[in-house]
Amino acid sequence: MEHQAEIGVFGGSGFYNFIEDAVEVKVETPYGSPSATITIGTVGGKRVAFMPRHGRDHSLPPHKINYRANVWAFKALGIKRVICPCAAGSLQKHIKPGEFVFCDQYVDRTNGREDTFFDGPITTHVSAADPYSEELRKLAVQAAKECDIPYHDKGTIVVIQGPRFSTRSESKWFRDQGWEVINMTQYPEAHLVKEMEMDPLNISLITDYDTGVEGAPPVSHVEVIEVFTENNVKLRRLLFKLIELMPSADKAPEFANILDSSRHG
């Protein structure tokens, strides 16, 4: 492929519309069309690809995103590391709106989503024990410290089907398990990234408290939008610092060979 990158970011235009050398790339995949064309530019001396997972006009709800096409397109560009920022709700009072959580685990509560590249005839079992890259999570923590962004260095994100939010009973169930964050897009995105032998990193941007978090004040729609906007500004700073801190990735293996080389079990 003519255009290549080493880092991928599932994020919107606010992260790349200021990059002077940006080019747009359309990638066709065996799984249909990705959410949008991919914008590639240089950040911190590295080639970085950006794709808005919900589409350019945010027209794709979480359960309708073509996660396999999105991840396949990143792999086809030679990407080795994928940053997966997402808006999220807090399940715990001590995790406040405006803070970031670098999750190290997820719990899948989705249903019916296409969540593997290995549909047969060969059965392949890819471990999900540690779904996110420990190396990237540590670099993200360092970047947050240098950018003076309030953060939590780990946590579990519960991924619900959407587009509806949780009932009070569901939210209490998740909270009582001790889980920290709730979102609608991290599964199967993160696992598909692993299946394609790329390293995923979660950055959860807390916009509000989930339904019925005990002792948490009620949040208005206006307040959520305000926090969401502030989070995106902080995220842009964090991404620049994080990408700067990342060591250059080794050259990716030839994409045509990736499925054969990763099969086992």
Side-chain angles (χ1 to χ4, degrees), residues 84-100:
C84 307
C86 64
S90 170
L91 291 166
Q92 306 296 337
K93 188 178 178 183
H94 70 280
I95 296 177
K96 301 169 183 167
E99 297 180 341
F100 288 9

Side-chain angles (χ1 to χ4, degrees), residues 127-172:
S127 173
D130 298 299
Y132 296 107
S133 166
E134 181 71 7
E135 175 195 7
L136 295 186
R137 192 170 61 84
K138 288 179 179 178
L139 289 175
V141 168
Q142 182 181 341
K145 288 178 180 177
E146 295 190 23
C147 292
D148 197 26
I149 294 172
Y151 70 91
H152 300 266
D153 64 359
K154 60 183 177 180
T156 295
I157 185 167
V158 184
V159 191
I160 59 175
Q161 176 71 358
R164 75 167 178 86
F165 291 111
S166 302
T167 66
R168 292 185 185 277
S169 291
E170 289 169 333
S171 184
K172 182 178 185 302

Side-chain angles (χ1 to χ4, degrees), residues 14-149:
F15 307 142
Y16 57 74
N17 58 11
F18 49 84
I19 298 175
E20 294 182 1
D21 65 344
V23 295
E24 285 198 13
V25 178
K26 185 176 182 180
V27 180
E28 301 293 339
T29 88
Y31 303 97
S33 299
S35 295
T37 56
I38 299 170
T39 301
I40 300 177
T42 303
V43 177
K46 302 176 182 71
R47 296 297 281 173
V48 183
F50 299 85
M51 183 199 297
R53 65 165 71 83
H54 291 283
R56 296 279 181 187
D57 55 358
H58 208 90
S59 60
L60 295 170
H63 65 298
K64 292 294 187 179
I65 293 170
N66 191 340
Y67 294 98
R68 292 197 298 183
N70 289 354
V71 172
W72 196 98
F74 269 5
K75 186 66 182 184
L77 294 173
I79 287 167
K80 293 292 289 181
R81 295 165 174 150
V82 180
I83 303 172
C84 307
C86 64
S90 170
L91 291 166
Q92 306 296 337
K93 188 178 178 183
H94 70 280
I95 296 177
K96 301 169 183 167
E99 297 180 341
F100 288 9
V101 184
F102 305 115
C103 291
D104 61 333
Q105 288 287 314
Y106 62 69
V107 173
D108 171 31
R109 295 292 302 163
T110 67
N111 62 81
R113 299 184 181 189
E114 300 287 353
D115 62 356
T116 184
F117 291 106
F118 301 112
D119 282 329
I122 296 177
T123 300
T124 298
H125 307 282
V126 177
S127 173
D130 298 299
Y132 296 107
S133 166
E134 181 71 7
E135 175 195 7
L136 295 186
R137 192 170 61 84
K138 288 179 179 178
L139 289 175
V141 168
Q142 182 181 341
K145 288 178 180 177
E146 295 190 23
C147 292
D148 197 26
I149 294 172

Side-chain angles (χ1 to χ4, degrees), residues 2-16:
E2 178 184 357
H3 296 284
Q4 295 280 288
E6 57 181 297
I7 298 167
V9 181
F10 285 121
S13 60
F15 307 142
Y16 57 74

Side-chain angles (χ1 to χ4, degrees), residues 220-251:
S220 70
H221 177 71
V222 172
E223 289 173 321
V224 170
I225 296 300
E226 183 178 329
V227 173
F228 181 83
T229 302
E230 291 173 353
N231 279 349
N232 276 337
V233 173
K234 290 186 289 189
L235 176 61
R236 190 167 70 183
R237 288 179 17 233
L238 179 76
L239 287 177
F240 266 75
K241 176 54 67 174
L242 172 59
I243 291 168
E244 177 187 314
L245 292 172
M246 284 185 184
S248 292
D250 294 332
K251 185 178 179 182

